[in-house]
Amino acid sequence: MNNRIIDLHDAVLLDLDGVVYLGPQAVGGAPESLDAARRKGIQIAFVTNNAARRPSAVADHLRSLGITCQEMDVVTSAQAITALMARQLAKGSKVLVCGTDALAEEATKVGFTIVESFTDEPVAVVQGYSPSINWQRFDEAAHAIQRGAVWYMSNTDPNRPTNLGMVPGAGAQMAVVAAAVDAKPVIAGKPFPPLLEATVERVGCQAPIFIGDRLDTDIEGANNVSMASMLVFTGAHGKYDLVSAPVHQRPTTIGFDLMSLSQPIRRANTTDTGWTCGAAIARIVGGKIEVSGVEDGVDAQLDVLWALANLCWAHPELDPSAALEELDMVP
């Protein structure tokens, strides 16, 4: 009998938006799946690139959705970036915050003095996503950076998935400041290593798996710290993104949602003409991709998708569009 995905790991590290919840709604099966992992003694940590909220607020939100969570289970990019700043800047240094009160509080906790204007001569600017930022704050940040302040950024996600659709994210707000300065920020959030490194250190795990919905942040971030990863299809990226993923954005495995943690490990095997996964076959026939074993049910379609992804990664010159169209149960 095949081992389940969860059997290989001592900790499950999770992105939030698009994985655990979509705005005010839990992703189906998330509470039950995480409770099942906890009962097996698996450690759980919620890892978010979103620097806008306090860890306590994130924990409250998760509990309101029926998900077991303590404040220490939450690791935010605001915590990771201010910890990084504390290692690089003198205690008590003046810092201009371009973000929410939650980000300012994390900067205060590690010993920085918060200032409100570039005229206060801050040595650094720390920026993070804010849903209600005043445009003047972007101006203040740009002026400070132009005058030599070191620019720190929580994360670079260009957008965020919600229950109503995609909305601009921290990366879009970063681009506003970047348009006015000749500088690049120091970044903590995924795909950069500091956030996941801080999480592993806090949890104390040896064999974690990171679960995310974005290839360019979650999966690339896990790869950057040599961590196993699973892409789920409940958020930003889908089947077309997966099969065209560059090497550094390819996950260890895939699942439809968090319930896939309790399913057998999905393995792809190469053949003379293509790849197989379970009963699914993706092969090259007459210079084109042909798939078989496409059946109803998400698990069967994920087998096809995993075989197809491995084939496409080995042969990026081939067009997978027709084969992907046959997978109507995978986004």
Side-chain angles (χ1 to χ4, degrees):
M1 181 177 178
N2 288 339
N3 284 334
R4 298 177 302 168
I5 295 172
I6 196 65
D7 296 331
L8 300 182
H9 305 286
D10 61 355
V12 175
L13 314 184
L14 304 116
D15 180 51
L16 291 176
D17 290 323
V19 176
V20 179
Y21 56 65
L22 288 167
Q25 302 171 357
V27 171
E32 298 83 357
S33 299
L34 297 179
D35 281 346
R38 288 185 188 276
R39 287 194 295 271
K40 288 180 58 67
I42 306 299
Q43 298 186 82
I44 306 294
F46 302 96
V47 186
T48 178
N49 265 4
N50 190 339
R53 295 195 295 171
R54 299 172 179 85
S56 59
V58 175
D60 288 343
H61 181 193
L62 290 168
R63 287 193 293 267
S64 75
L65 301 175
I67 296 168
T68 302
C69 181
Q70 303 299 318
E71 184 176 340
M72 281 299 295
D73 297 333
V74 178
V75 188
T76 73
S77 61
Q79 293 174 316
I81 193 61
T82 53
L84 179 60
M85 292 168 64
R87 294 193 294 270
Q88 297 181 354
L89 304 174
K91 189 171 183 178
S93 294
K94 295 179 181 180
V95 172
L96 179 78
V97 177
C98 187
T100 64
D101 290 343
L103 179 57
E105 288 175 9
E106 294 298 337
T108 300
K109 286 179 184 178
V110 296
F112 293 120
T113 300
I114 306 304
V115 299
E116 296 299 319
S117 173
F118 75 94
T119 60
D120 296 315
E121 299 182 342
V123 301
V125 169
V126 60
Q127 184 178 358
Y129 174 74
S130 172
S132 58
I133 194 165
N134 186 301
W135 193 272
Q136 180 61 35
R137 182 58 57 170
F138 292 134
D139 293 347
E140 293 287 350
H143 292 322
I145 295 166
Q146 290 169 17
R147 286 159 177 77
V150 182
W151 186 13
Y152 291 89
M153 187 77 204
S154 64
N155 65 295
T156 60
D157 300 44
N159 48 44
R160 297 174 52 243
T162 75
N163 60 310
L164 299 177
M166 302 300 290
V167 297
Q173 295 183 351
M174 181 185 77
V176 173
V177 176
V181 303
D182 184 19
K184 293 184 178 180
V186 178
I187 304 164
K190 303 162 292 178
F192 297 88
L195 178 56
L196 287 180
E197 289 175 343
T199 305
V200 169
E201 181 178 358
R202 182 186 296 188
V203 173
C205 51
Q206 299 298 316
I209 183 170
F210 190 82
I211 304 178
D213 67 311
R214 294 192 66 101
L215 296 165
D216 55 348
T217 55
D218 300 325
I219 304 307
E220 183 176 343
N223 287 339
N224 283 342
V225 294
S226 301
M227 186 182 298
S229 62
M230 181 169 77
L231 177 73
V232 293
F233 296 96
T234 48
H237 285 162
K239 57 190 177 184
Y240 288 92
D241 304 296
L242 175 69
V243 302
S244 59
V247 172
H248 59 287
Q249 293 180 5
R250 296 172 186 171
T252 305
T253 190
I254 57 174
F256 185 77
D257 53 27
L258 292 182
M259 290 188 286
S260 295
L261 278 171
S262 62
Q263 295 175 351
I265 299 166
R266 186 164 278 108
R267 303 185 188 280
N269 299 293
T270 186
T271 69
D272 290 341
T273 59
W275 288 78
T276 65
C277 180
I281 301 172
R283 59 181 181 170
I284 302 172
V285 178
K288 296 182 179 181
I289 294 176
E290 178 182 280
V291 296
S292 57
V294 182
E295 301 175 359
D296 290 339
V298 171
D299 291 342
Q301 295 214 352
L302 286 174
D303 284 347
V304 176
L305 180 58
W306 195 230
L308 180 58
N310 279 272
L311 178 64
C312 290
W313 294 339
H315 298 276
E317 74 280 2
L318 298 176
D319 181 3
S321 299
L324 288 170
E325 285 300 316
E326 296 190 40
L327 305 181
D328 57 1
M329 297 186 72
V330 181

